[in-house]
Every structure is written in C-alpha cells, then in structure tokens.
Coordinates of all heavy atoms in Angstrom, one line a residue:
M62 N 1.8 3.2 12.2 CA 0.6 3.7 11.5 C -0.4 3.9 12.7 O -0.5 3.1 13.6 CB 0.1 2.6 10.6 CG -1.2 3.0 9.9 SD -1.7 2.0 8.5 CE -1.0 0.3 8.7
P63 N -1.2 5.0 12.7 CA -2.2 5.2 13.7 C -3.3 4.2 13.7 O -3.5 3.5 12.7 CB -2.7 6.7 13.3 CG -2.3 7.0 11.9 CD -1.1 6.1 11.6
D64 N -4.0 4.2 14.8 CA -5.1 3.2 14.8 C -6.2 3.5 13.8 O -6.7 4.6 13.7 CB -5.8 3.2 16.2 CG -4.8 2.7 17.3 OD1 -3.9 2.1 16.9 OD2 -5.1 3.0 18.5
E65 N -6.4 2.5 13.0 CA -7.5 2.6 11.9 C -8.1 1.2 11.8 O -7.5 0.2 12.1 CB -6.8 2.8 10.6 CG -6.4 4.3 10.3 CD -7.5 5.3 10.0 OE1 -8.6 4.9 9.5 OE2 -7.4 6.4 10.4
L66 N -9.4 1.2 11.5 CA -10.1 0.0 11.3 C -9.7 -0.5 9.9 O -9.6 0.2 8.9 CB -11.7 0.1 11.5 CG -12.2 0.5 12.7 CD1 -13.6 0.9 12.7 CD2 -11.9 -0.5 13.8
A67 N -9.6 -1.9 9.7 CA -9.3 -2.4 8.4 C -10.2 -2.1 7.4 O -10.0 -1.8 6.3 CB -9.0 -3.9 8.6
E68 N -11.6 -2.1 7.8 CA -12.6 -1.8 6.9 C -12.6 -0.4 6.3 O -12.9 -0.1 5.2 CB -14.0 -2.1 7.4 CG -14.4 -1.1 8.5 CD -15.7 -1.4 9.1 OE1 -16.8 -1.1 8.4 OE2 -15.7 -2.0 10.1
D69 N -11.9 0.5 7.1 CA -11.8 1.9 6.7 C -10.6 2.1 5.7 O -10.5 3.0 5.0 CB -11.6 2.8 7.8 CG -12.8 3.0 8.7 OD1 -13.9 2.7 8.2 OD2 -12.6 3.3 10.0
L70 N -9.6 1.1 5.8 CA -8.5 1.2 4.9 C -8.7 0.5 3.5 O -8.1 1.0 2.6 CB -7.3 0.5 5.5 CG -6.7 1.2 6.8 CD1 -5.6 0.3 7.4 CD2 -6.3 2.6 6.6
S71 N -9.6 -0.4 3.4 CA -9.8 -1.2 2.3 C -10.2 -0.2 1.1 O -11.2 0.5 1.2 CB -10.9 -2.2 2.5 OG -11.1 -3.0 1.3
G72 N -9.5 -0.3 0.0 CA -9.7 0.6 -1.1 C -9.3 2.0 -1.1 O -9.4 2.7 -1.9
K73 N -8.6 2.3 0.1 CA -8.1 3.7 0.2 C -7.0 3.9 -0.8 O -6.1 3.1 -1.0 CB -7.6 3.8 1.7 CG -7.3 5.4 2.0 CD -7.2 5.5 3.5 CE -8.4 5.6 4.2 NZ -8.7 6.9 4.8
G74 N -6.9 5.1 -1.3 CA -5.8 5.5 -2.2 C -4.5 5.6 -1.5 O -4.4 6.0 -0.3
V75 N -3.5 5.3 -2.2 CA -2.0 5.4 -1.6 C -1.3 6.4 -2.5 O -1.3 6.3 -3.7 CB -1.4 4.0 -1.7 CG1 0.0 4.0 -1.1 CG2 -2.2 3.0 -0.9
M76 N -0.7 7.3 -1.7 CA 0.0 8.4 -2.4 C 1.4 8.5 -1.8 O 1.7 8.3 -0.6 CB -0.8 9.7 -2.1 CG -0.1 11.0 -2.3 SD -0.9 12.4 -1.8 CE -2.5 12.2 -2.6
G77 N 2.4 8.9 -2.8 CA 3.8 9.1 -2.2 C 3.8 10.4 -1.6 O 3.0 11.3 -1.7
S78 N 4.9 10.6 -0.8 CA 5.0 11.8 -0.1 C 5.3 13.0 -1.0 O 5.1 14.1 -0.5 CB 6.2 11.7 0.9 OG 7.4 11.4 0.3
N79 N 5.5 12.8 -2.3 CA 5.6 13.9 -3.3 C 4.3 14.2 -3.9 O 4.3 15.0 -4.8 CB 6.7 13.4 -4.3 CG 6.3 12.3 -5.1 OD1 5.3 11.7 -4.8 ND2 7.0 11.9 -6.1
G80 N 3.2 13.5 -3.5 CA 1.9 13.8 -4.0 C 1.5 13.0 -5.1 O 0.5 13.0 -5.6
A81 N 2.4 12.1 -5.7 CA 2.1 11.1 -6.8 C 1.1 10.1 -6.3 O 1.4 9.4 -5.3 CB 3.3 10.5 -7.2
Q82 N 0.0 9.9 -7.0 CA -0.9 8.8 -6.6 C -0.5 7.5 -7.1 O -0.2 7.3 -8.4 CB -2.3 9.1 -7.2 CG -2.9 10.4 -6.5 CD -4.3 10.7 -6.9 OE1 -5.0 9.9 -7.4 NE2 -4.7 11.8 -6.7
L83 N -0.2 6.6 -6.3 CA 0.3 5.3 -6.6 C -0.7 4.2 -6.9 O -0.4 3.4 -7.8 CB 1.3 4.8 -5.4 CG 2.3 5.8 -5.0 CD1 3.1 5.2 -3.8 CD2 3.2 6.2 -6.2
G84 N -1.7 4.1 -6.2 CA -2.7 3.1 -6.4 C -3.6 3.0 -5.3 O -3.8 3.9 -4.6
E85 N -4.3 1.8 -5.1 CA -5.4 1.6 -4.1 C -5.0 0.5 -3.2 O -4.4 -0.6 -3.7 CB -6.6 1.3 -4.9 CG -7.9 1.5 -4.2 CD -9.1 1.4 -5.0 OE1 -9.5 2.4 -5.7 OE2 -9.6 0.3 -5.1
L86 N -5.2 0.6 -1.9 CA -4.8 -0.5 -1.0 C -5.7 -1.7 -1.4 O -7.0 -1.7 -1.5 CB -5.2 -0.1 0.4 CG -4.7 -1.1 1.4 CD1 -3.3 -1.4 1.4 CD2 -5.2 -0.7 2.9
Y87 N -5.0 -2.8 -1.7 CA -5.6 -4.0 -2.1 C -5.8 -5.0 -0.9 O -6.8 -5.7 -0.7 CB -4.7 -4.7 -3.1 CG -5.0 -6.1 -3.6 CD1 -6.2 -6.4 -4.3 CD2 -4.3 -7.2 -3.3 CE1 -6.6 -7.7 -4.7 CE2 -4.6 -8.4 -3.6 CZ -5.7 -8.8 -4.4 OH -6.1 -10.0 -4.7
N88 N -4.7 -5.1 0.0 CA -4.7 -6.0 1.1 C -3.6 -5.6 2.1 O -2.8 -4.7 1.8 CB -4.5 -7.5 0.6 CG -5.3 -8.4 1.5 OD1 -5.5 -8.2 2.6 ND2 -5.5 -9.7 0.9
V89 N -3.6 -6.3 3.2 CA -2.6 -6.0 4.2 C -2.0 -7.4 4.6 O -2.8 -8.3 4.9 CB -3.2 -5.3 5.4 CG1 -2.0 -5.2 6.5 CG2 -3.7 -3.9 5.0
E90 N -0.7 -7.5 4.6 CA -0.1 -8.7 5.1 C 0.2 -8.6 6.6 O 0.8 -7.7 7.0 CB 1.2 -8.9 4.3 CG 1.8 -10.3 4.3 CD 2.9 -10.4 3.4 OE1 4.0 -9.8 3.5 OE2 2.8 -11.2 2.3
I91 N -0.3 -9.7 7.3 CA -0.1 -9.6 8.7 C 0.5 -10.9 9.2 O 0.2 -12.1 8.7 CB -1.5 -9.6 9.5 CG1 -2.2 -8.2 9.1 CG2 -1.4 -9.7 10.9 CD1 -3.6 -8.0 9.6
N92 N 1.5 -10.9 10.1 CA 2.1 -12.0 10.7 C 1.2 -12.6 11.7 O 0.9 -12.0 12.7 CB 3.4 -11.6 11.4 CG 4.2 -12.8 11.9 OD1 3.5 -13.7 12.6 ND2 5.5 -12.8 11.8
V93 N 0.6 -13.8 11.4 CA -0.4 -14.4 12.3 C 0.0 -14.8 13.7 O -0.6 -14.8 14.7 CB -1.2 -15.6 11.6 CG1 -1.9 -15.2 10.4 CG2 -0.1 -16.8 11.2
K94 N 1.4 -15.0 13.8 CA 1.9 -15.3 15.2 C 2.1 -14.1 16.0 O 1.8 -14.2 17.2 CB 3.3 -16.1 15.0 CG 3.2 -17.4 14.4 CD 4.5 -18.1 14.3 CE 4.3 -19.5 13.8 NZ 5.6 -20.2 13.7
T95 N 2.5 -13.0 15.5 CA 2.7 -11.8 16.3 C 1.7 -10.7 16.2 O 1.5 -9.8 17.0 CB 4.0 -11.1 16.0 OG1 4.0 -10.6 14.5 CG2 5.3 -12.1 16.0
G96 N 0.9 -10.8 15.0 CA -0.2 -9.8 14.8 C 0.4 -8.6 14.1 O -0.3 -7.6 13.9
A97 N 1.7 -8.5 13.9 CA 2.4 -7.4 13.3 C 2.0 -7.3 11.9 O 2.0 -8.2 11.1 CB 3.9 -7.5 13.4
I98 N 1.7 -6.0 11.5 CA 1.5 -5.7 10.0 C 2.9 -5.7 9.3 O 3.7 -5.0 9.7 CB 0.8 -4.4 9.9 CG1 -0.6 -4.5 10.5 CG2 0.6 -4.0 8.4 CD1 -1.3 -3.1 10.6
G99 N 2.9 -6.4 8.2 CA 4.2 -6.5 7.4 C 4.2 -5.5 6.2 O 4.8 -4.4 6.3
D100 N 3.4 -5.9 5.2 CA 3.4 -5.0 4.0 C 2.0 -4.5 3.7 O 1.0 -5.3 3.9 CB 3.9 -5.7 2.9 CG 5.5 -6.0 2.9 OD1 6.1 -5.2 3.6 OD2 6.0 -6.9 2.3
L101 N 1.8 -3.4 3.1 CA 0.6 -3.0 2.4 C 0.8 -3.5 1.0 O 1.8 -3.3 0.4 CB 0.5 -1.5 2.5 CG 0.5 -0.7 3.7 CD1 0.2 0.7 3.6 CD2 -0.5 -1.3 4.8
L102 N -0.3 -4.2 0.6 CA -0.3 -4.6 -0.9 C -1.1 -3.7 -1.6 O -2.4 -3.6 -1.3 CB -0.9 -6.0 -0.9 CG -0.1 -7.0 0.0 CD1 -0.8 -8.4 -0.1 CD2 1.4 -7.1 -0.3
V103 N -0.6 -3.0 -2.6 CA -1.2 -2.0 -3.3 C -1.4 -2.3 -4.7 O -0.5 -2.7 -5.4 CB -0.4 -0.6 -3.1 CG1 -1.0 0.5 -4.0 CG2 -0.2 -0.2 -1.7
S104 N -2.6 -2.1 -5.3 CA -3.0 -2.3 -6.6 C -2.7 -1.0 -7.3 O -3.3 0.0 -7.1 CB -4.4 -2.7 -6.9 OG -4.8 -2.9 -8.3
P105 N -1.6 -0.9 -8.2 CA -1.2 0.3 -8.9 C -2.2 0.8 -9.9 O -2.9 0.0 -10.5 CB 0.1 0.0 -9.6 CG 0.0 -1.5 -9.8 CD -0.8 -2.0 -8.7
Y106 N -2.4 2.2 -9.9 CA -3.1 2.8 -11.0 C -2.5 2.5 -12.3 O -1.3 2.3 -12.4 CB -3.3 4.3 -10.7 CG -4.1 4.6 -9.6 CD1 -3.6 5.6 -8.6 CD2 -5.3 4.1 -9.2 CE1 -4.4 6.0 -7.5 CE2 -6.0 4.4 -8.1 CZ -5.6 5.3 -7.2 OH -6.3 5.7 -6.2
E107 N -3.3 2.6 -13.3 CA -2.8 2.3 -14.7 C -1.5 3.2 -15.1 O -0.6 2.7 -15.8 CB -3.9 2.4 -15.8 CG -4.8 1.3 -15.8 CD -5.7 1.2 -16.9 OE1 -5.4 1.7 -18.0 OE2 -6.8 0.7 -16.8
E108 N -1.6 4.4 -14.6 CA -0.5 5.4 -15.0 C 0.7 5.2 -14.2 O 1.8 5.9 -14.4 CB -1.0 6.8 -15.0 CG -1.5 7.3 -13.7 CD -3.0 7.0 -13.4 OE1 -3.7 6.3 -14.1 OE2 -3.4 7.5 -12.3
T109 N 0.7 4.3 -13.3 CA 1.8 4.1 -12.3 C 2.7 3.0 -12.8 O 2.2 1.9 -13.1 CB 1.3 3.8 -10.8 OG1 0.5 4.8 -10.4 CG2 2.4 3.6 -9.9
N110 N 4.0 3.2 -12.9 CA 4.9 2.3 -13.2 C 5.6 1.7 -11.9 O 6.4 2.3 -11.4 CB 6.0 2.7 -14.1 CG 7.0 1.7 -14.6 OD1 7.0 0.6 -14.0 ND2 7.8 2.0 -15.6
P111 N 5.0 0.6 -11.4 CA 5.5 0.0 -10.1 C 6.9 -0.2 -10.0 O 7.6 -0.2 -8.9 CB 4.8 -1.3 -10.0 CG 3.6 -1.2 -10.9 CD 4.1 -0.3 -12.0
N112 N 7.7 -0.5 -11.2 CA 9.0 -0.8 -11.1 C 9.9 0.4 -10.9 O 11.1 0.3 -10.7 CB 9.5 -1.5 -12.5 CG 8.7 -2.8 -12.7 OD1 8.6 -3.6 -11.8 ND2 8.1 -3.1 -13.8
Q113 N 9.3 1.5 -11.0 CA 10.2 2.8 -10.7 C 10.0 3.4 -9.4 O 10.5 4.5 -9.1 CB 9.7 3.8 -11.8 CG 10.2 3.5 -13.2 CD 9.7 4.5 -14.3 OE1 8.9 5.4 -13.9 NE2 10.4 4.5 -15.4
L114 N 9.3 2.7 -8.4 CA 8.9 3.3 -7.2 C 9.9 2.9 -6.1 O 9.9 3.4 -5.0 CB 7.5 2.8 -6.8 CG 6.4 3.3 -7.7 CD1 5.1 2.7 -7.2 CD2 6.3 4.8 -7.8
G115 N 10.6 1.8 -6.3 CA 11.7 1.4 -5.3 C 11.2 0.4 -4.3 O 11.8 0.1 -3.2
F116 N 9.9 0.0 -4.5 CA 9.3 -1.0 -3.6 C 9.3 -2.3 -4.4 O 9.4 -2.4 -5.6 CB 7.9 -0.7 -3.2 CG 7.8 0.6 -2.4 CD1 7.1 1.7 -2.9 CD2 8.3 0.6 -1.2 CE1 7.0 2.8 -2.2 CE2 8.2 1.7 -0.4 CZ 7.5 2.9 -0.9
E117 N 9.3 -3.5 -3.6 CA 9.1 -4.8 -4.2 C 7.8 -4.9 -4.9 O 6.8 -4.2 -4.5 CB 9.2 -5.9 -3.2 CG 10.5 -6.3 -2.7 CD 10.4 -7.4 -1.7 OE1 9.8 -8.4 -2.0 OE2 11.1 -7.4 -0.6
T118 N 7.7 -5.6 -5.9 CA 6.5 -5.9 -6.7 C 6.2 -7.4 -6.7 O 7.2 -8.3 -6.5 CB 6.5 -5.4 -8.2 OG1 7.5 -5.9 -8.8 CG2 6.6 -3.9 -8.2
D119 N 5.0 -7.7 -6.8 CA 4.6 -9.2 -6.8 C 3.4 -9.3 -7.7 O 2.8 -8.3 -8.2 CB 4.2 -9.6 -5.4 CG 4.5 -11.0 -5.0 OD1 4.5 -11.9 -6.0 OD2 4.6 -11.4 -3.9
T120 N 2.9 -10.5 -7.9 CA 1.6 -10.7 -8.6 C 0.6 -11.5 -7.7 O 1.1 -12.3 -6.9 CB 1.8 -11.5 -9.9 OG1 2.4 -12.7 -9.7 CG2 2.7 -10.7 -10.9
D121 N -0.5 -11.2 -7.8 CA -1.6 -11.8 -7.1 C -2.8 -11.9 -8.0 O -3.3 -10.9 -8.5 CB -2.0 -11.1 -5.8 CG -3.0 -11.8 -4.9 OD1 -2.9 -13.1 -4.9 OD2 -3.8 -11.2 -4.2
E122 N -3.3 -13.1 -8.2 CA -4.4 -13.4 -9.2 C -4.1 -12.8 -10.5 O -4.8 -12.1 -11.2 CB -5.7 -12.9 -8.7 CG -6.1 -13.6 -7.4 CD -7.4 -13.1 -6.7 OE1 -8.1 -12.3 -7.5 OE2 -7.6 -13.5 -5.7
N123 N -2.8 -12.9 -11.0 CA -2.3 -12.4 -12.4 C -2.3 -10.8 -12.4 O -2.3 -10.3 -13.5 CB -3.2 -13.0 -13.5 CG -3.0 -14.5 -13.5 OD1 -1.9 -15.0 -13.3 ND2 -4.0 -15.2 -13.8
E124 N -2.5 -10.2 -11.3 CA -2.3 -8.6 -11.4 C -1.1 -8.3 -10.6 O -0.8 -8.9 -9.5 CB -3.5 -8.0 -10.7 CG -4.7 -8.2 -11.6 CD -5.8 -7.4 -11.1 OE1 -5.7 -6.2 -10.7 OE2 -7.0 -7.8 -11.3
Q125 N -0.4 -7.3 -11.1 CA 0.8 -6.8 -10.4 C 0.4 -6.0 -9.1 O -0.6 -5.1 -9.2 CB 1.7 -5.9 -11.3 CG 3.0 -5.6 -10.7 CD 3.9 -5.0 -11.8 OE1 3.6 -4.4 -12.7 NE2 5.3 -5.2 -11.6
I126 N 1.1 -6.2 -8.1 CA 0.9 -5.4 -6.9 C 2.2 -4.9 -6.4 O 3.2 -5.4 -6.7 CB 0.2 -6.2 -5.7 CG1 1.1 -7.5 -5.4 CG2 -1.2 -6.6 -6.1 CD1 0.5 -8.3 -4.2
I127 N 2.1 -3.8 -5.6 CA 3.3 -3.1 -4.9 C 3.2 -3.5 -3.5 O 2.3 -3.4 -2.8 CB 3.2 -1.6 -5.1 CG1 2.9 -1.2 -6.6 CG2 4.5 -0.9 -4.5 CD1 2.5 0.2 -6.7
R128 N 4.4 -3.9 -3.0 CA 4.5 -4.3 -1.6 C 5.2 -3.2 -0.9 O 6.4 -3.0 -1.0 CB 5.4 -5.7 -1.4 CG 4.8 -6.8 -2.1 CD 5.6 -8.0 -2.0 NE 5.7 -8.5 -0.7 CZ 4.7 -9.3 -0.2 NH1 3.8 -9.8 -1.0 NH2 4.7 -9.7 1.0
I129 N 4.5 -2.5 0.0 CA 5.0 -1.3 0.7 C 5.1 -1.7 2.2 O 4.0 -2.0 2.8 CB 4.1 -0.2 0.5 CG1 4.1 0.2 -1.0 CG2 4.7 1.1 1.2 CD1 3.2 1.4 -1.4
P130 N 6.3 -1.7 2.7 CA 6.4 -2.1 4.1 C 5.7 -1.0 5.0 O 5.8 0.2 4.7 CB 8.0 -2.0 4.4 CG 8.6 -2.2 3.1 CD 7.6 -1.5 2.1
V131 N 5.1 -1.4 6.0 CA 4.3 -0.5 6.9 C 5.2 0.5 7.5 O 4.7 1.7 7.8 CB 3.5 -1.3 7.9 CG1 4.4 -1.9 9.0 CG2 2.4 -0.4 8.6
S132 N 6.5 0.3 7.6 CA 7.5 1.4 8.1 C 7.6 2.5 7.2 O 8.0 3.6 7.6 CB 8.7 0.7 8.4 OG 9.3 0.2 7.1
H133 N 7.1 2.4 6.0 CA 7.1 3.6 5.0 C 5.9 4.5 5.0 O 5.8 5.5 4.4 CB 7.4 3.1 3.7 CG 8.7 2.5 3.4 ND1 9.7 3.3 2.8 CD2 9.3 1.4 3.8 CE1 10.8 2.7 2.7 NE2 10.7 1.4 3.3
V134 N 4.9 4.1 5.9 CA 3.7 4.9 6.1 C 4.0 6.1 6.9 O 4.5 6.0 7.9 CB 2.5 4.0 6.6 CG1 1.3 4.9 6.8 CG2 2.3 2.9 5.7
Q135 N 3.7 7.2 6.3 CA 3.8 8.6 7.0 C 2.5 9.0 7.6 O 2.6 9.6 8.7 CB 4.3 9.6 6.0 CG 5.7 9.6 5.6 CD 6.2 10.6 4.8 OE1 5.5 11.2 4.0 NE2 7.4 11.1 5.1
D136 N 1.4 8.8 6.9 CA 0.1 9.4 7.5 C -1.0 8.6 6.8 O -0.8 8.1 5.7 CB 0.0 10.8 7.0 CG -0.9 11.7 7.9 OD1 -1.5 11.1 8.9 OD2 -1.2 12.7 7.5
V137 N -2.1 8.6 7.6 CA -3.3 7.9 7.0 C -4.5 8.9 7.3 O -4.8 9.2 8.5 CB -3.7 6.6 7.8 CG1 -4.9 6.0 7.3 CG2 -2.5 5.6 7.5
R138 N -5.0 9.5 6.3 CA -6.2 10.3 6.4 C -7.0 10.0 5.2 O -7.6 8.9 5.1 CB -5.7 11.8 6.4 CG -5.0 12.1 7.7 CD -4.9 13.5 8.0 NE -4.0 13.7 9.1 CZ -3.5 14.8 9.5 NH1 -3.7 15.9 8.8 NH2 -2.7 14.9 10.6
D139 N -7.2 11.0 4.3 CA -7.9 10.7 3.0 C -7.3 9.7 2.2 O -7.8 9.0 1.5 CB -8.2 11.9 2.3 CG -9.2 12.9 3.0 OD1 -9.9 12.5 3.8 OD2 -9.1 14.2 2.8
Y140 N -5.9 9.8 2.3 CA -5.0 8.9 1.5 C -4.1 8.2 2.6 O -3.8 8.8 3.6 CB -4.1 9.6 0.4 CG -4.9 10.0 -0.7 CD1 -5.6 11.2 -0.8 CD2 -4.9 9.2 -1.8 CE1 -6.3 11.6 -1.9 CE2 -5.6 9.6 -3.1 CZ -6.3 10.8 -3.1 OH -6.9 11.2 -4.2
I141 N -3.5 7.1 2.2 CA -2.3 6.5 2.9 C -1.1 7.1 2.2 O -0.9 6.9 1.0 CB -2.3 5.0 2.8 CG1 -3.6 4.4 3.4 CG2 -1.1 4.4 3.5 CD1 -3.8 2.9 3.2
V142 N -0.4 8.0 2.9 CA 0.9 8.6 2.4 C 2.1 7.8 2.8 O 2.3 7.5 4.0 CB 1.0 10.1 2.9 CG1 2.2 10.7 2.4 CG2 -0.3 10.8 2.6
V143 N 2.9 7.4 1.8 CA 4.1 6.6 2.0 C 5.3 7.4 1.5 O 5.3 8.2 0.6 CB 4.0 5.3 1.3 CG1 2.8 4.5 2.0 CG2 3.8 5.4 -0.1
Q144 N 6.4 7.2 2.2 CA 7.7 7.7 1.7 C 8.5 6.6 1.0 O 8.4 5.4 1.5 CB 8.5 8.3 2.7 CG 8.9 7.3 3.9 CD 9.6 8.0 5.0 OE1 9.8 9.1 5.0 NE2 10.0 7.1 6.0
P145 N 9.2 6.8 0.0 CA 10.0 5.8 -0.8 C 11.1 5.3 0.1 O 11.5 5.9 1.1 CB 10.5 6.5 -2.0 CG 10.1 7.9 -1.9 CD 9.2 8.1 -0.8

C-alpha cells in the first residue's frame, strides 16, 4: 500500500477491483511488535453480502466486519481498491 496517513484512510470507501462498493474502512489491524499492517477491517454497506466476497468476516461491537488482508490492496485514491 502506498504511503498514506491513517487519518486520511479512516472512513474511506472500499471497492472491489470489479467496481463493486464493499463498505467503509472501519479500522486497521497492526502487529505492535513489527509495525506491519495485517488486515483492513471494513464495515460493509447494507447492500453488500460479506459472506460472498471470499474474505474472512468477524464481529466487532455486534456489527459484522470484513477482514481484508493488506496484500489484497491494489490502489488507494478516492477509494481503497482491493482484489478478491
């Protein structure tokens, strides 16, 4: 992922490489020992079925989230673009 400030990523939309809008960036998981970014935690849009995306899902504060490994990020501009 190119250099970006965390505050610029917060709330940014996440889109599949096919143009499908998946959700909004909720949080980022970071390994505190190495500083490496692990997964993007994405809050899915209502029309998105997280179970059909091929990524792990989890719950946080009783809301479903999509766990997208940072290795799947293709581009970061107006949206964070990920490949399945």
